[in-house]
Amino acid sequence: MSTCSTASRDLDEPISGTAATATTWLLLEQPGPWGAKALTSSHLDPALGRALEAAAKGTGVRVALIRRPGRHADSGPPTIRQVYVAHTVPGNGWLRSATIRDPRRLSDIDFAALGRGDHSTFDSALGGRPHTGDPLALVCTNGKRDRCCALLGRPLAAKLASSGVEGVWEVTHLGGHRFSPTLLVLPYGYAYGRAEAHAVKDVLHSAQRGRIVVEGCRGNSAWERPGQAAELAVRRAAGEYAADTLAVVRTEGAAPRWEVTVAHTDGRRWHVVVAQGASLPARPESCGASVLGSPARMDVVAVRELTTTMALVG
């Protein structure tokens, strides 16, 4: 059976620089079925879903629903729901959790503050606290958005959970159906595509040690797409895999060419040129698309480490 993910894989479409963009992720447990736009087409009150969408708009916060892997029969509303919030900007990253009975309490959170990395209203409104468990592995499984997410994502989530991996959740949407199964790892905010169970376990074990696996990585959600591609290119060039050591500090230009400055916590800087191209030949960008498309790709043209003098002048 031909799907958007098989076409993307067969055409060897690059995945660097394709992660969804969000400085902060807010995740609410919602069992049961999900529609294509899950916040307003699930068993969550659609009025609350619309309110959360409106509150998050323009703040850098991305709201998604999560559920435990497995069957999703309608068992009625949960009495207690898990909530997570994660800020993914290096140097100020954190992951916090809470449990709530009434999801309407999410309306008491200051979303603009969350987007800036301030979790104080999450803590005060919901009793939030630091997450002390294993990294979270969020696997997109929403077949109503794209069948690849169900066909490939649900078996991956189930396999990880059954093999004893902690912190596995199904999630409503991570973008990039054609890279299914797709995965987001928190607290660091790196997304992965074409994920396989053994590779995911390596990613999670590395995250426990504060390290980033670049193979199969789509990028860090904290950055826009050119920055995602640039940061991963610097990691490869410098052999730097420790989390929270690199940050995108400047992006100049506009499509189809950007000049990105990536900085290391030790003072080193790199100048990275990123060009936007079109993935050819045309292919289905999702299984529900009625026409073929040529999705944008981020191509790293050059990576150059700056000298100390050049970095200071820049």
Side-chain angles (χ1 to χ4, degrees):
M1 176 178 61
S2 179
T3 63
C4 65
S5 60
T6 56
S8 176
R9 188 186 296 267
D10 290 346
L11 293 170
D12 198 24
E13 181 183 352
I15 66 175
S16 176
T18 66
T21 301
T23 57
T24 304
W25 292 82
L26 178 62
L27 308 166
L28 170 65
E29 183 177 4
Q30 177 57 60
W34 296 332
K37 296 182 178 180
L39 280 178
T40 53
S41 55
S42 69
H43 290 168
L44 183 70
D45 179 359
L48 175 59
R50 287 189 292 271
L52 294 175
E53 288 179 334
K57 187 175 182 180
T59 65
V61 178
R62 191 177 179 104
V63 185
L65 303 181
I66 57 175
R67 64 191 177 195
R68 296 290 186 183
R71 301 184 63 183
H72 306 301
D74 183 2
S75 57
T79 56
I80 297 179
R81 301 170 189 253
Q82 180 68 52
V83 185
Y84 295 105
V85 65
H87 190 63
T88 62
V89 177
N92 186 36
W94 41 258
L95 173 59
R96 302 184 75 81
S97 68
T99 54
I100 59 175
R101 293 183 181 275
D102 184 356
R104 289 175 295 183
R105 292 173 59 194
L106 293 173
S107 300
D108 297 330
I109 298 172
D110 184 337
F111 280 72
L114 278 187
R116 296 191 302 267
D118 177 359
H119 53 72
S120 58
T121 62
F122 177 85
D123 294 349
S124 60
L126 307 184
R129 58 197 179 277
H131 173 71
T132 56
D134 291 339
L136 301 185
L138 306 166
V139 182
C140 185
T141 64
N142 192 351
K144 294 296 185 181
R145 290 195 69 97
D146 192 283
R147 61 179 175 172
C148 286
C149 297
L151 292 173
L152 301 174
R154 289 193 63 189
L156 173 63
K159 186 173 184 179
L160 291 171
S162 65
S163 64
V165 177
E166 299 291 336
V168 180
W169 293 86
E170 298 186 8
V171 67
T172 47
H173 185 47
L174 296 177
H177 323 294
R178 64 191 184 278
F179 303 121
S180 293
T182 59
L183 173 84
L184 177 71
V185 177
L186 297 176
Y188 299 118
Y190 285 83
Y192 292 83
R194 301 175 187 143
E196 298 181 2
H198 65 89
V200 173
K201 291 178 181 178
D202 184 39
V203 167
L204 295 175
H205 289 155
S206 295
Q208 285 181 312
R209 303 191 304 271
R211 298 182 66 80
I212 304 302
V213 172
V214 299
E215 289 76 16
C217 189
R218 300 174 61 192
N220 186 329
S221 74
W223 317 124
E224 298 293 335
R225 292 187 61 183
Q228 294 174 13
E231 190 244 22
L232 289 176
V234 170
R235 285 194 177 279
R236 293 187 178 96
E240 178 56 82
Y241 305 112
D244 288 341
T245 55
L246 297 179
V248 175
V249 296
R250 182 182 301 169
T251 301
E252 298 176 318
R257 183 183 175 91
W258 297 267
E259 297 188 13
V260 182
T261 303
V262 178
H264 195 289
T265 52
D266 65 9
R268 287 179 292 165
R269 292 195 171 206
W270 291 263
H271 175 260
V272 185
V273 179
V274 180
Q276 178 177 301
S279 296
L280 297 173
R283 80 286 308 278
E285 294 190 54
S286 68
C287 289
S290 58
V291 296
L292 300 181
S294 302
R297 53 184 286 172
M298 296 290 116
D299 294 319
V300 173
V301 177
V303 179
R304 177 168 58 92
E305 185 174 354
L306 302 175
T307 63
T308 303
T309 302
M310 292 174 64
L312 290 174
V313 172

